[in-house]
Amino acid sequence: MPLIINRQLQNVDPWTRLQSVEGESLSWPETKALISGTDWPTWAARCPAKLELGVSITADTTLEDLTPWLDRLSLIEICFEVFRDGRGFSLARLLRRAGYQGELRAAGDVGQDRLAYLERCGFNAFVLPEGRDPLQALAAFEQIQVHYQGAADDPRPIYRQEA
Amino acid sequence: MYQYTQVDQQIVNERVEEFRDQTRRYLAGELSADEFLALRLMNGLYIQRQAPMLRVAIPYGLTSAQQMRKLAHIARTYDQGYGHFTTRTNLQFNWPKLEEVPDILAELAEVQMHAIQTSGNCIRNTTTDHFAGVIEGEIEDPRPWCEIIRQWSTLHPEFAYLPRKFKIAVTGSQQDRAASQVHDIGLHLVKNAAGELGFEVLVGGGLGRTPVIGKVIREFLPALDLLSYLDAILRVYNLKGRRDNKYKARIKILVESLGIEAFRELVEAEWQFTRDTELKLTHAEVERVKAHFTPFAYAADAAEDTRLAQHLAEDEAFKIWYERNTRAHKVPGYRCVMVSLKPQLGAPGDITALQMEVVADLAEAYSFAEIRSTHDQNLLLADVRQADLYQVWQTLSEHNLARANINTLTDMIVCPGFDFCALANAKTLNIADAINAEFEDLDYLYDLGDIQLNMSGCINACGHHHVGHIGILGVDKKGEDWYQITLGGSAREDASLGKVLGRSVAADEVPRVLRVILNTYVELRQPEESFLECVRRVGLTPFKEKVYAADH
Ligand code: SF4
């Protein structure tokens, strides 16, 4: 699946995905571990300190769930199960407001027409569904160039920006 | 009125190109129907029973003569020569071709118009009092605040995929002609004890399957905090509103289930993060927007005219129209002229391309080139010199726009119903025709006084039937159209929800039932008592007894 980080198409994803399964232990990779599954906090607690840690969550996860981990995490992936579910947009903003500076990835039902909005809400990485043209997707960031309202990218509304 | 800056224009232009690209990809099969659906909805495009329907935004109901001419041009070129005004003061075209919609949007952009966020689960067109700025006793003109909300909410990156659509109304006086209490958010301009300007904020009103009157979440919000507070409400709603059932997804359900106190706490807690950030409005920005809404250069000698008195004395038909379809203006010598889109024959709110042009010409000649569309699906020329009224009336009459029925029974709010709407349970336009045929005697209507009749073709309540003095709701009974009648609703400052009269009635019975209801009112009313007051005083029982008498 095409991966875009900071508006650059990536050839490889350096993260190793670990799906936690109840009753089984995880085998940790060398460097970057991306944990998914609802019991991610259990596994996150066991993650060797030398590894970089990431979690993949849905918008059912709240800011409060994540707050204790923000300093430890270098990747948070929010998975959009259906594009109509807009909670992830607000969750991203809350995470950025809480000071999280690591990679914030949007995954799941991420159409190119939402990329610019997602980016404005604080996402800097995007996993596109299989089969999407990543070059067209990159162009989508540029389609609307000016914005009335502030957001995570720039908190100033247009009238507070210098001409 | 507001004039686009280069930025406003750029946003609209870029949006047109974006949608052109999206439409192209959809037609080429690169974009799934489901995904295109969300995108086209955000650009006002529905697929209806007959054809696509395009809803053009008319921010807070204000159009220029030039814009109205453009709408006429679009109606002629891309549609079947007419359009339909909605209760959101927007204009719908019923017959555009999908592949031509990008061109229509480009035409709109030429006159500073668009269809952005007229549908979809996002913040919709903000509405207001159609007499904003021209009536006596206003705290302040609400339109600059509507424009500020428009800009903030347009292409908002965080609030484009809300649980459900979101509607905001603003009022500027004690009177509520914007149905603000049945909006997701109602904003009332008020002054506090210290004389400072602010808003009383209501939240969680709405119609549809579960009608609710909005609740006060904040009695006084300082005016400059408007956007930070809206932001807080929207964020709480976006995170916590239900998404599992579209009938339970509006903010009213969230407010009801949490209770207004708990909801308020969440909003106030969220607001603490943002109230002193860049979301706070600046005086300079408010003044910049307000400068677009300064009063016109009214003629100081307008009240010295004597022609009006003469015409009123000489022409009875003109006098009747003057009394029924014009309203006081705060400047002596001026009147507000209601343009009735409720003819004897024709769908309420419909307007032909020619009529659009006639109204545009009149606005240009007599009303500072501006036109307003109203919540009750009429138009308004808000600033007409009294000396010009006779001429305006004659022209309106020639084009079937002067039916003297404003605020009477036949000034109905009616949604398009089954004839156009894919969601409808029953027809509405045939019922409107039948009501017009049954109650064509204007003297009788005048004797009945102000009556608001609202009709919807299904429970979605686009025709606001819950808040009509008389409400009619189309229901489907084994494939036949039946109609449930409610009495006692109001969308005004004394907002209330109508109560169901009894079992629903068949289509051909509706006029007779209305006749019985109205006769009952005439029998029971006290001197000067309006229909609504009478219903509130005596309750539904006397009406019920008469209407269903034959059943006993
Ligand atoms: S009330 Fe129902 S029938 Fe009428 S326009 Fe709305 S959805 Fe359609």
Side-chain angles (χ1 to χ4, degrees):
Chain A
M1 288 187 283
L3 171 65
I4 295 172
I5 300 178
N6 297 331
R7 298 196 183 186
Q8 302 284 328
L9 189 61
Q10 308 294 308
N11 293 324
V12 285
D13 183 356
W15 289 84
T16 305
R17 286 180 184 267
L18 300 175
Q19 172 75 40
S20 65
V21 181
E22 243 190 80
E24 286 175 34
S25 64
L26 294 179
S27 57
W28 298 102
E30 297 286 301
T31 53
K32 294 166 179 263
L34 174 56
I35 311 173
S36 55
T38 48
D39 59 343
W40 63 263
T42 316
W43 291 104
R46 293 182 198 168
C47 177
K50 65 174 174 46
L51 294 191
E52 281 191 70
L53 180 63
V55 290
S56 178
I57 53 166
T58 68
D60 289 329
T61 312
T62 64
L63 175 67
E64 290 68 39
D65 299 333
L66 289 160
T67 304
W69 297 98
L70 291 185
D71 289 341
R72 176 70 179 91
L73 294 171
S74 22
L75 168 63
I76 298 175
E77 179 181 85
I78 301 178
C79 188
F80 288 76
E81 291 176 325
V82 284
F83 70 80
R84 277 190 196 80
D85 187 346
R87 291 178 297 171
F89 292 84
S90 286
L91 181 57
R93 290 210 63 182
L94 293 182
L95 283 167
R96 290 303 189 200
R97 191 168 77 192
Y100 174 69
Q101 291 181 358
E103 182 177 329
L104 190 52
R105 257 189 210 188
D109 197 350
V110 177
Q112 75 172 61
D113 303 288
R114 289 178 291 286
L115 294 179
Y117 279 1
L118 289 164
E119 185 181 57
R120 295 211 66 213
C121 288
F123 289 97
N124 68 321
F126 309 89
V127 185
L128 303 181
E130 207 55 72
R132 298 296 165 90
D133 178 352
L135 294 179
Q136 253 188 25
L138 285 170
F141 287 108
E142 310 272 334
Q143 254 168 343
I144 305 280
Q145 311 244 5
V146 281
H147 313 290
Y148 283 120
Q149 62 293 97
D153 54 344
D154 182 342
R156 299 169 304 165
I158 187 99
Y159 65 84
R160 283 178 187 263
Q161 295 171 22
E162 249 96 57
Chain B
M1 67 188 279
Y2 188 76
Q3 300 296 318
Y4 276 14
T5 62
Q6 199 209 325
V7 169
D8 298 298
Q9 190 66 53
Q10 188 184 344
I11 287 175
V12 169
N13 291 349
E14 288 177 350
R15 181 65 163 192
V16 172
E17 287 320 305
E18 184 188 48
F19 189 66
R20 196 183 288 285
D21 180 52
Q22 290 163 349
T23 308
R24 181 193 59 72
R25 282 188 287 139
Y26 168 67
L27 292 173
E30 296 169 23
L31 206 53
S32 74
D34 198 38
E35 223 175 337
F36 184 61
L37 177 122
L39 300 170
R40 66 174 164 74
L41 284 181
M42 259 177 254
N43 286 288
L45 186 63
Y46 287 80
I47 304 297
Q48 288 293 33
R49 201 168 284 282
Q50 324 264 1
M53 181 269 277
L54 179 69
R55 187 180 290 147
V56 177
I58 301 190
Y60 37 93
L62 196 56
T63 41
S64 67
Q66 184 204 17
Q67 290 173 329
M68 191 62 85
R69 285 204 189 90
K70 178 62 92 177
L71 294 170
H73 165 75
I74 290 170
R76 252 195 215 106
T77 315
Y78 301 95
D79 204 283
Q80 296 188 359
Y82 69 97
H84 173 79
F85 278 101
T86 73
T87 57
R88 270 224 94 53
T89 69
N90 291 323
L91 184 76
Q92 290 178 182
F93 290 115
N94 283 314
W95 311 92
K97 292 189 194 67
L98 177 59
E99 54 277 20
E100 288 182 348
V101 170
D103 294 334
I104 299 176
L105 297 181
E107 296 245 21
L108 289 171
E110 283 174 20
V111 292
Q112 309 192 347
M113 295 186 92
H114 58 74
I116 296 170
Q117 289 171 216
T118 54
S119 50
N121 293 338
C122 50
I123 302 170
R124 305 285 191 89
N125 187 24
T126 299
T127 51
T128 190
D129 185 349
H130 48 266
F131 291 125
V134 295
I135 38 147
E136 205 62 76
E138 204 171 46
I139 294 151
E140 193 177 289
D141 187 340
R143 293 172 302 170
W145 300 100
C146 296
E147 175 60 27
I148 285 168
I149 294 170
R150 183 189 76 81
Q151 297 194 12
W152 164 75
S153 62
T154 296
L155 308 189
H156 197 295
E158 186 181 349
F159 304 137
Y161 295 90
L162 297 169
R164 197 82 175 85
K165 58 189 168 182
F166 204 91
K167 300 178 179 180
I168 303 174
V170 190
T171 64
S173 77
Q174 305 284 340
Q175 292 174 344
D176 186 354
R177 278 171 289 261
S180 70
Q181 298 186 57
V182 288
H183 276 72
D184 296 287
I185 292 179
L187 296 165
H188 302 155
L189 276 162
V190 288
K191 290 217 163 130
N192 67 5
E196 294 155 339
L197 188 73
F199 296 93
E200 178 188 46
V201 184
L202 273 68
V203 70
L207 297 173
R209 185 163 292 206
T210 318
V212 187
I213 305 280
K215 298 176 184 64
V216 176
I217 182 166
R218 201 163 225 285
E219 277 167 15
F220 186 81
L221 176 73
L224 295 184
D225 292 332
L226 175 64
L227 296 184
S228 60
Y229 203 75
L230 293 180
D231 175 80
I233 294 177
L234 265 297
R235 185 161 305 115
V236 169
Y237 170 54
N238 195 36
L239 285 166
K240 299 213 184 291
R242 282 182 64 172
R243 291 174 186 269
D244 57 331
N245 178 339
K246 89 173 199 178
Y247 294 109
K248 299 202 186 297
R250 294 288 287 267
I251 196 172
K252 63 190 173 189
I253 304 289
L254 179 65
V255 174
E256 293 278 288
S257 71
L258 291 173
I260 183 69
E261 278 78 26
F263 183 76
R264 179 185 298 120
E265 275 173 33
L266 289 174
V267 170
E268 296 274 330
E270 171 57 33
W271 188 41
Q272 300 315 316
F273 286 99
T274 55
R275 59 184 298 184
D276 292 317
T277 65
E278 287 89 342
L279 266 171
K280 190 173 199 123
L281 285 160
T282 62
H283 283 290
E285 172 64 2
V286 173
E287 290 312 314
R288 177 186 80 84
V289 177
K290 279 188 182 175
H292 290 284
F293 297 90
T294 48
F296 294 122
Y298 295 110
D301 60 351
E304 284 160 31
D305 146 83
T306 53
R307 275 177 290 176
L308 172 64
Q310 198 188 333
H311 286 305
L312 287 173
E314 286 168 2
D315 192 327
E316 183 63 17
F318 172 64
K319 180 161 175 276
I320 289 170
W321 172 84
Y322 173 86
E323 285 170 357
R324 207 66 228 183
N325 287 21
T326 74
R327 297 288 179 273
H329 191 291
K330 68 179 179 188
V331 176
Y334 283 82
R335 295 289 285 183
C336 305
V337 172
M338 303 293 310
V339 177
S340 175
L341 299 185
K342 313 295 173 66
Q344 170 77 22
L345 301 171
D350 274 11
I351 183 167
T352 66
L354 177 63
Q355 286 175 321
M356 291 183 213
E357 284 160 350
V358 166
V359 174
D361 290 347
L362 285 174
E364 212 148 63
Y366 302 111
S367 195
F368 298 93
E370 286 186 7
I371 302 135
R372 303 175 186 208
S373 45
T374 76
H375 160 68
D376 38 21
Q377 299 178 290
N378 290 305
L379 297 180
L380 175 66
L381 297 168
D383 305 272
V384 180
R385 273 176 83 149
Q386 67 176 50
D388 297 328
L389 286 171
Y390 195 70
Q391 180 61 49
V392 169
W393 170 69
Q394 285 182 316
T395 307
L396 289 175
S397 299
E398 272 169 42
H399 295 278
N400 201 20
L401 293 164
R403 192 177 185 207
N405 63 344
I406 297 300
N407 292 1
T408 70
L409 182 76
T410 56
D411 185 9
M412 302 171 260
I413 294 178
V414 182
C415 84
F418 193 87
D419 292 295
F420 292 98
C421 176
L423 302 171
N425 281 331
K427 289 190 185 187
T428 52
L429 301 181
N430 60 333
I431 303 296
D433 286 345
I435 293 170
N436 271 317
E438 174 80 14
F439 299 99
E440 60 171 342
D441 177 1
L442 283 175
D443 286 331
Y444 177 70
L445 294 185
Y446 299 154
D447 175 63
L448 295 174
D450 286 3
I451 295 186
Q452 184 63 50
L453 188 154
N454 294 354
M455 177 162 31
S456 309
C458 81
I459 196 69
N460 286 327
C462 303
H464 293 202
H465 60 277
H466 302 106
V467 288
H469 303 169
I470 301 176
I472 302 181
L473 165 67
V475 290
D476 175 53
K477 267 198 197 176
K478 297 190 186 112
E480 277 176 46
D481 289 2
W482 287 68
Y483 297 87
Q484 185 189 75
I485 293 176
T486 49
L487 298 182
S490 166
R492 295 288 304 256
E493 52 281 0
D494 61 350
S496 60
L497 302 170
K499 297 198 182 73
V500 178
L501 185 66
R503 63 166 177 80
S504 49
V505 301
D508 57 1
E509 277 218 81
V510 174
R512 182 195 67 81
V513 168
L514 287 180
R515 178 72 77 178
V516 175
I517 291 169
L518 295 169
N519 287 346
T520 310
Y521 157 61
V522 170
E523 261 170 50
L524 294 174
R525 70 180 163 188
Q526 294 176 344
E528 306 291 313
E529 190 178 44
S530 73
F531 178 80
L532 181 62
E533 290 162 346
C534 179
V535 172
R536 284 178 174 171
R537 179 174 58 84
V538 304
L540 260 58
T541 311
F543 295 94
K544 224 179 255 183
E545 280 168 2
K546 296 276 170 138
V547 167
Y548 301 110
D551 294 357
H552 296 305

